[in-house]
């Protein structure tokens, strides 16, 4: 191992991360303008506005202290989320595969769990001015049930995030383990090597079913339209993100696009066998996958209403069953 | 042009607070954002319902008694720089509800909006036209751009 | 809802979620307190009064014409219905026969307003459902109606078409306007039927709306529900059948069976073609003659009542005239009696559906803000 190789790999990792960030900032705007707005027969916002200009704008806003029992913890959570996504992408780059335990499916599942737990904490720590915060004399004499315990809207969102941990992310984790059953190894390096030798998994039956399950899990993980019960406008307004302002809100915005790219890259590692690496042409496949996923997601979300649990459970159960089927096929 | 005003001019988040008018203005404004015919998003203006995210607060209605405190609270929770647009004749001068009985003071109406929070742009009309809301947003831009 | 017929006992209720007065799912300021257990609504209480502007009080002592203009500001959605009924009240008391042509123009305005109100309901309902595309499509169609209203009335929201003795001269419907109305009706009919097809066939929307927010016929009768919300439970009651203004017109009363969100939304979508039918008849048979009769005299009369059917149900206006001024004005709007239905519809549904259940009754709290309590009769 010469120093040149180390410098090269560090440079490669950093360049890959920067490229991912740049591509990630375009994804939300791309989805909003070219998919949803076109379906809705309108012009839509400029591609750059939702993803990159808005975070920059929030960065220059006044830094207020949020209405929260623990403001410092609440403020740190979006940064934690951002770092978690960064670590996932880091684990996906081929230069990092020698880390072993970090570059494995188990580590990625762990990182994603951290993100989910962050939602629960965010929800329970946020006490927004909307709803209960607005002073309104509604518990006056003659009101129904005057002595009930009052909760903020974000508390409902927090409860929902908790349920999401229990069942919502199930299809996604099942999909992650389909390549493991085929390859027989939890290390990303082995999965990539196997696919480069034997062809991408997406062209096998198990891999194809796995890809469908992965996509459903991807939408649930991103809280996009049919699955956005966590932050549905009809009741909890924005859910756990309610109190973020200025820099912290810009992190929330950046994380969304970045997560979209990272999950796309995860798909191309697990099912196509092409890791994100700035030094190979394979990176174009990564970017393409990220864009195709956002197109599919845009189409899906434009044509569906918000799912409540009544629709959510069947979708999760049926896609989990599909996932189990794919696992079984993979094992055979 | 530095990055600060550049970004502020290209992503404006707009929040609507209705304070008890006749509903006409609210529908015209929400409609102006929602309907593909006007589509305010193409002018880089986004509708939000979270005061922490908002830059521009649009207030309609003459501010009834029960709405005075919520309006103040929402205004205070918007981080700086912020601008307020009073839309519709009720928000500008209390409308027909405050003025039809001449000098007799009104018990119900606390408005106009100026009495409660500082107003930066005034959009006249009963009800306001969606186009005018856009020009109102444009009129508040200098304040947003020049702020630190 | 009164104390006796509360469906759930106090001890079961865990938490209270308050929404409002500013909330994205509501177009108007009101407060709803949802009593929730494991995200299922156990009881709901809607508090209005946020919008109270005291319109009936400030109407007291105003000249009748001015008071009529003020009633238009009761509501921004059904503004024409309010001024129409208020003018009808005065005409009834003063014994004025309006020219036939002006009556037809009033009906055209009334039906156009019903169209725009129903389109608004569909758009808003779909938005609360979370279906942005449907809501955009409906709002795009609605713009056609708004343009027609602007063309006839001169404004997009408050048109002030009716005055005592007829309609304002600027609302005269000439050859060019007739043509435009007919063209608009063709666009709307095609658009709404396409929408209804899409809405019926969409499985995701079906599973979201079916069986949600059910109001049974018995409950509807008990709560004195009116308008399309009542018709969605299967009771064919429409005041337009008995109104003498609508005598010449041929239309059907649409009813649905279930009383849930789905039948409420479809109900309005299917009422739109009926309104289009009325407008086409009115434009085709528009009688010749003057549109305004100024030869009436003001005299004192006792309290006069008038009921008409507006987009949301039955509207009631009453006042007495004394020396050309209004005395003792009472306005009872349809949403007032539908508040009970809104509260009942929420019970047993998920929190995300709660606002949808309120929206399905087509609330217009701006109209209603003079009620203190919903009393069971």
């Amino acid at each position: 191992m010469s120093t040149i190789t180390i410098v090269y790999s560090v440079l490669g990792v950093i360049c890959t991360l920067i490229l991912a960030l740049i591509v990630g900032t375009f994804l939300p705007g791309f989805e909003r303008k070219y998919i949803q707005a076109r379906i809705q027969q309108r012009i839509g916002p400029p591609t750059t506005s939702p993803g990159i200009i808005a975070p920059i704008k929030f960065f220059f806003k006044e830094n207020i202290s949020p209405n929260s029992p623990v403001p410092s913890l609440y403020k740190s959570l979006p940064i934690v989320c951002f770092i978690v996504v960064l670590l996932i992408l880091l684990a996906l780059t081929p230069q990092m595969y020698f880390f072993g335990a970090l570059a494995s499916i188990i580590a990625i599942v762990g990182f994603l769990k951290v993100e989910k737990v962050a939602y629960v904490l965010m929800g329970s720590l946020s006490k927004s001015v909307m709803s209960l915060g607005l002073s309104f004399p509604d518990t006056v004499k003659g009101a129904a049930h005057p002595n009930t315990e009052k909760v903020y809207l974000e508390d409902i969102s927090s409860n929902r995030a908790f349920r999401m941990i229990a069942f919502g992310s199930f299809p996604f984790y099942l999909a992650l383990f389909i390549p493991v059953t085929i390859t027989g190894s939890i290390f990303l390096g082995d999965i990539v090597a196997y696919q480069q030798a034997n062809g991408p998994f997406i062209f096998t039956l198990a891999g194809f079913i796995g890809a469908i399950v992965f996509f459903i899990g991807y939408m649930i993980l991103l809280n996009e339209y049919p699955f956005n019960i966590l932050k549905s406008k009809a009741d909890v307004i924005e859910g756990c993100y309610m109190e973020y302002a200025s820099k912290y809100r810009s992190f929330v915005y950046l994380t969304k696009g970045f997560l979209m790219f990272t999950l796309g890259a995860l798909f191309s590692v697990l099912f196509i066998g092409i890791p994100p690496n700035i030094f190979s042409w394979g990176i174009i496949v990564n970017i393409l996958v990220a864009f195709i996923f956002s197109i599919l997601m845009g189409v899906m979300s434009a044509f569906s209403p918000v799912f409540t649990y009544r629709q959510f459970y069947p979708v999760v159960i049926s896609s989990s069953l599909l996932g189990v089927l794919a696992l079984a096929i993979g094992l055979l | 042009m530095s990055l600060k005003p550049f970004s502020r001019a290209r992503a404006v988040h707009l929040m609507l607070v209705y304070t008890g008018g006749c509903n006409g203005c609210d529908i015209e404004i929400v409609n102006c954002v929602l309907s593909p015919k006007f589509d305010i998003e193409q002018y880089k203006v986004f509708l939000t319902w979270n005061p922490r995210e908002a830059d521009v607060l649009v207030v309609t209605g003459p501010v009834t008694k029960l709405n005075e405190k919520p309006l103040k609270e929402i205004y205070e929770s918007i981080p700086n720089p912020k601008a307020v647009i009073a839309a519709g004749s009720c928000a500008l001068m209390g409308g027909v509800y405050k003025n039809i009985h001449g000098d007799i003071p009104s018990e119900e109406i606390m408005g106009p909006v100026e009495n409660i929070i500082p107003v930066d742009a005034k959009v006249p009309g009963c009800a306001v036209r969606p186009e005018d809301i856009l020009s109102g947003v444009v009129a508040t831009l200098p304040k947003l751009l020049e702020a630190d | 809802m009164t104390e006796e017929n509360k469906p759930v006992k106090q001890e079961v209720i865990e938490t209270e979620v308050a929404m409002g007065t500013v909330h994205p799912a509501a177009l108007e300021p009101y407060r709803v307190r949802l009593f929730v257990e494991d995200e299922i609504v156990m009881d709901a209480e809607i508090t209005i009064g946020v919008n109270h502007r005291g319109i009936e009080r400030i109407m007291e002592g105003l000249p009748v014409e001015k008071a009529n203009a003020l009633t238009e500001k009761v509501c921004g959605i059904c503004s024409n219905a309010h001024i129409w009924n208020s003018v009808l009240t005065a005409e009834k008391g003063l014994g004025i026969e309006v020219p036939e042509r002006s009556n037809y123009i009033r009906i055209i305005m009334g039906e156009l307003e019903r169209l725009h109100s129903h389109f608004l309901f569909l758009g808003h309902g779909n938005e609360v459902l979370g279906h942005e595309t449907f809501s955009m499509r409906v709002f795009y169609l609605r713009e056609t109606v708004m343009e027609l209203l602007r063309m006839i009335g001169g404004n997009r929201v408050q048109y002030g078409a009716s005055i005592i003795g007829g309609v304002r001269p600027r609302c005269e419907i000439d050859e060019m306007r007739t043509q435009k109305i007919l063209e608009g009706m063709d666009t709307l009919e095609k658009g709404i039927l396409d929408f209804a097809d899409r809405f019926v066939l969409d499985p995701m929307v079906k599973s979201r709306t079916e069986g949600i927010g059910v109001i049974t016929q018995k409950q509807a009768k008990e709560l004195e529900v009116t308008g399309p919300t009542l018709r969605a439970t299967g009771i064919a009651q429409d005041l337009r059948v008995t109104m003498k203004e609508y005598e010449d017109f041929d239309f059907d009363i649409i009813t649905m069976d279930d009383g849930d969100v789905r039948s409420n939304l479809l109900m309005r979508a299917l009422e739109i073609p009926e309104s289009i039918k009325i407008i086409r008849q009115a434009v085709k048979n528009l009688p010749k003659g003057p549109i305004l009769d100024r030869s009436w005299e003001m005299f004192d009369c006792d309290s006069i009542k008038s009921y008409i059917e507006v987009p949301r149900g039955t509207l009631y206006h009453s006042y007495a005239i004394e020396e050309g001024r209004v005395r003792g004005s009472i306005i009872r709007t349809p949403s007032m009696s539908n508040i009970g239905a809104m509260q009942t519809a929420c019970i047993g549904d998920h929190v995300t559906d709660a606002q949808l259940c309120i929206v399905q009754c087509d609330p217009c709290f701006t109209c209603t803000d003079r009620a203190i309590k919903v009393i069971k009769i």
Side-chain angles (χ1 to χ4, degrees):
Chain A
M1 285 285 272
S2 61
T3 28
I4 304 258
T5 337
I6 293 172
V7 168
Y8 255 116
S9 21
V10 169
L11 206 72
V13 168
I14 290 171
C15 287
T16 313
L17 289 183
I18 289 170
L19 185 80
L21 237 137
I22 292 168
V23 174
T25 52
F26 280 97
L27 286 173
F30 173 79
E31 188 199 349
R32 185 86 189 143
K33 182 175 175 91
Y34 291 106
I35 315 301
Q36 289 178 350
R38 288 295 176 271
I39 288 172
Q40 289 156 1
Q41 300 170 337
R42 62 196 175 97
I43 295 170
T47 325
T48 48
S49 271
I52 180 72
I53 302 282
I56 294 172
K57 181 199 76 175
F58 286 122
F59 206 76
F60 290 121
K61 288 208 92 170
E62 180 202 18
N63 197 0
I64 42 119
S65 93
N67 290 343
S68 166
V70 198
S72 48
L73 176 61
Y74 184 68
K75 279 181 179 176
S76 67
L77 284 171
I79 299 165
V80 169
C81 281
F82 188 78
I83 291 169
V84 163
V85 179
L86 205 72
L87 285 175
I88 296 174
L89 192 62
L90 212 63
L92 289 176
T93 48
Q95 287 88 346
M96 287 289 162
Y97 286 168
F98 68 88
F99 262 122
L102 184 69
S104 71
I105 295 284
I106 304 289
I108 287 170
V109 170
F111 286 139
L112 288 172
K113 275 277 182 255
V114 171
E115 167 128 18
K116 289 260 155 194
V117 172
Y119 286 144
V120 179
L121 284 176
M122 278 179 197
S124 54
L125 291 177
S126 159
K127 306 276 178 234
S128 171
V129 68
M130 302 294 277
S131 86
L132 207 58
L134 286 181
S135 52
F136 187 82
D138 54 358
T139 39
V140 288
K141 195 182 168 194
H145 317 294
N147 300 321
T148 37
E149 182 204 351
K150 295 180 180 196
V151 295
Y152 282 82
L153 290 179
E154 293 92 322
D155 293 323
I156 307 179
S157 176
S158 167
N159 278 342
R160 287 176 186 172
F162 195 71
R163 284 197 189 193
M164 272 330 177
I165 295 183
F167 74 89
S169 39
F170 214 65
F172 193 77
Y173 295 147
L174 277 176
L176 288 189
F177 279 94
I178 290 163
V180 176
T181 55
I182 303 175
T183 326
S185 162
I186 58 161
F187 297 107
L188 294 174
D190 297 340
I191 292 172
V192 171
Y194 184 90
Q195 290 188 75
Q196 273 160 1
N198 299 348
F201 289 144
I202 192 162
F203 299 125
T204 64
L205 182 63
F208 183 72
I209 299 173
I212 295 169
V213 179
F214 186 96
F215 179 68
I216 295 170
Y218 166 88
M219 285 180 70
I220 297 175
L221 211 63
L222 282 171
N223 301 318
E224 258 298 334
Y225 234 98
F227 305 109
N228 70 342
I229 192 165
L230 213 65
K231 43 176 190 173
S232 86
K233 227 168 67 172
D235 51 352
V236 292
I237 309 180
E238 266 197 340
C240 40
Y241 298 133
M242 280 293 278
E243 275 298 300
Y244 286 118
S246 66
K247 297 183 190 69
Y248 307 101
R249 185 163 279 276
S250 68
F251 270 108
V252 168
Y253 269 69
L254 284 176
T255 311
K256 196 198 166 201
F258 199 32
L259 188 61
M260 278 166 91
F261 181 85
T262 307
L263 293 180
L266 183 60
F267 180 82
S268 50
V269 166
L270 292 181
F271 290 93
I272 306 176
I274 296 169
N277 183 7
I278 194 88
F279 297 129
S280 81
W281 288 111
I283 192 93
I284 292 173
V285 176
N286 295 132
I287 295 171
L288 220 63
V289 167
F291 273 97
I292 289 171
F293 267 44
S294 72
I295 290 172
L296 288 176
M297 188 165 76
V299 173
M300 285 286 283
S301 56
F303 283 119
S304 52
V306 180
F307 282 1
T308 56
Y309 292 134
R310 218 165 66 142
Q311 291 83 37
F312 212 134
Y313 286 131
V315 169
V316 168
I317 290 168
S318 53
S319 53
S320 300
L321 284 178
L322 263 183
V324 171
L325 178 75
L327 277 180
I329 296 170
L331 280 174
L332 286 175
Chain B
M1 203 186 219
S2 69
L3 199 57
K4 200 188 281 183
F6 181 84
S7 63
R8 276 178 187 162
R10 270 155 193 78
V12 181
H13 282 82
L14 179 142
M15 184 182 172
L16 171 69
V17 174
Y18 24 65
T19 62
C22 77
N23 230 345
C25 298
D26 314 331
I27 290 165
E28 288 294 280
I29 293 166
V30 174
N31 192 4
C32 124
V33 178
L34 272 177
S35 105
K37 181 157 181 174
F38 294 99
D39 186 29
I40 204 165
E41 274 189 5
Q42 63 179 298
Y43 307 110
K44 301 140 192 153
V45 181
F46 300 89
L47 181 71
T48 172
W49 291 97
N50 184 358
R52 297 296 194 195
E53 195 179 20
D55 302 309
V56 177
L57 184 71
V58 179
V59 187
T60 63
V63 193
T64 51
K65 180 128 185 65
L66 283 176
N67 256 321
E68 194 185 359
K69 265 173 101 180
L71 177 61
K72 252 186 210 164
E73 279 162 11
I74 287 176
Y75 175 75
E76 275 155 19
S77 58
I78 297 178
N80 280 323
K82 57 190 166 189
V84 178
I85 300 174
S89 49
C90 296
L92 296 188
M93 45 97 184
V96 69
Y97 315 113
K98 196 183 169 86
N99 299 311
I100 201 165
H101 35 53
D103 291 338
I104 309 166
S106 174
E107 289 160 20
E108 283 93 358
I109 311 294
M110 293 292 121
V113 179
E114 266 177 312
N115 293 354
I116 293 135
I117 53 173
V119 171
D120 301 300
K122 294 177 173 177
V123 181
C126 179
V128 291
R129 281 178 293 179
E131 304 93 297
D132 292 353
I133 285 294
L134 281 174
S135 48
V137 173
V138 172
T140 58
L141 272 184
K143 191 196 172 189
L144 290 177
L145 300 192
E146 282 156 21
D148 313 315
Chain C
M1 187 140 302
T2 48
E3 295 296 319
E4 306 91 67
N5 66 349
K6 207 162 284 166
V8 191
K9 289 189 194 71
Q10 176 93 32
E11 49 266 37
V12 209
I13 283 154
E14 276 178 354
T15 46
E16 174 199 327
V17 183
M19 293 181 194
T21 59
V22 180
H23 195 274
L27 278 177
E28 303 143 288
Y30 65 91
R31 181 78 146 193
V32 53
R33 298 168 71 209
L34 299 171
F35 301 98
V36 171
E37 191 184 340
D38 195 23
E39 300 204 22
I40 301 294
V41 180
M42 288 295 168
D43 198 358
E45 188 190 52
I46 291 173
T47 316
I48 56 167
V50 194
N51 251 351
H52 188 79
R53 291 148 292 159
I55 289 193
E56 285 149 318
R57 191 174 64 83
I58 55 181
M59 265 174 84
E60 186 83 30
L62 282 185
V64 179
E65 288 94 337
K66 215 171 168 183
N68 286 342
L70 182 62
T71 54
E72 190 171 43
K73 312 285 178 195
V74 169
C75 178
I77 307 173
C78 41
S79 53
N80 181 61
H82 278 281
I83 196 169
W84 185 15
N85 199 17
S86 184
V87 165
L88 276 181
T89 313
E91 280 167 359
K92 227 177 184 177
L94 302 174
I96 303 164
E97 278 290 323
V98 294
E100 193 74 339
R101 188 180 174 85
S102 69
N103 189 29
Y104 269 64
I105 294 175
R106 282 179 188 181
I107 282 172
I108 290 172
M109 288 302 278
E111 291 303 318
L112 278 175
E113 194 177 65
R114 190 184 308 275
L115 287 179
H116 112 75
S117 169
H118 281 3
F119 274 119
L120 178 75
F121 170 83
L122 286 173
H124 185 53
N126 278 308
E127 201 202 330
V128 175
L129 198 64
H131 207 306
E132 220 183 8
T133 308
F134 272 0
S135 118
M136 291 277 185
R137 295 256 163 106
V138 172
F139 274 124
Y140 190 65
L141 279 175
R142 182 173 174 267
E143 284 302 319
T144 320
V145 192
M146 298 308 280
E147 282 307 309
L148 289 177
L149 282 169
R150 187 187 215 164
M151 179 189 77
I152 301 172
N155 196 0
R156 278 170 64 98
V157 176
Q158 320 267 10
Y159 346 92
S162 312
I163 45 172
I164 299 178
V167 290
R168 277 181 208 281
R170 68 155 181 265
C171 301
E172 171 69 283
I173 291 182
D174 54 20
E175 201 61 24
M176 186 268 286
R177 286 180 175 183
T178 311
Q179 196 59 36
K180 279 202 173 154
I181 290 174
L182 288 176
E183 275 166 20
M185 289 307 117
D186 292 342
T187 323
L188 288 177
E189 193 168 32
K190 192 174 170 294
I192 193 63
L193 290 178
D194 282 356
F195 169 78
D197 278 352
R198 290 275 303 277
F199 186 86
V200 172
L201 293 176
D202 197 319
M204 282 186 278
V205 171
K206 189 175 179 190
S207 94
R208 241 339 270 293
T209 53
E210 211 168 41
I212 300 291
V214 180
I215 304 164
T216 58
Q217 246 181 49
K218 190 164 162 276
Q219 279 171 331
K221 274 182 191 157
E222 240 169 41
L223 294 162
E224 294 290 328
V225 177
T226 84
T229 316
L230 180 66
R231 273 172 257 150
T233 64
I235 301 170
Q237 198 198 67
D238 193 329
L239 213 62
R240 281 183 290 174
V241 181
T242 52
M243 276 165 71
K244 77 169 188 347
E245 284 82 6
Y246 280 93
E247 252 170 15
D248 310 339
F249 298 97
D250 170 41
F251 60 94
D252 298 329
I253 303 172
I254 309 285
T255 51
M256 288 275 162
D257 299 330
D258 301 334
D260 56 359
V261 177
R262 185 179 174 77
S263 39
N264 266 293
L265 284 163
L266 266 180
M267 169 84 214
R268 264 78 165 190
L270 296 179
E271 270 196 1
I272 286 169
E274 295 302 314
S275 290
I276 292 173
K277 214 157 99 185
I278 296 178
I279 293 173
R280 281 197 180 132
Q281 287 171 38
V283 169
K284 196 176 148 211
N285 307 327
L286 198 64
K288 296 267 182 303
I291 56 165
L292 186 56
D293 173 21
R294 283 285 195 185
S295 62
W296 49 270
E297 274 175 23
M298 186 66 82
F299 52 85
D300 292 5
C301 43
D302 279 345
S303 180
I304 321 143
K305 293 174 189 166
S306 173
Y307 293 89
I308 61 165
E309 179 82 11
V310 299
R312 284 173 181 70
T314 308
L315 173 67
Y316 163 74
H317 274 236
S318 100
Y319 51 77
I321 299 174
E322 197 182 300
E323 294 171 356
R325 284 167 191 275
V326 169
R327 291 284 175 227
S329 164
I330 297 170
I331 305 169
R332 187 180 183 277
T333 55
S335 295
M336 155 91 223
S337 45
N338 286 355
I339 290 180
M342 290 167 210
Q343 290 175 351
T344 315
C346 291
I347 295 168
D349 288 317
H350 192 257
V351 183
T352 313
D353 291 327
Q355 284 284 2
L356 191 64
C357 297
I358 295 172
V359 169
Q360 70 154 342
C361 301
D362 208 354
C364 182
F365 294 112
T366 336
C367 294
T368 312
D369 246 343
R370 53 192 60 79
I372 295 153
K373 195 179 177 188
V374 181
I375 303 162
K376 192 183 162 196
I377 303 164

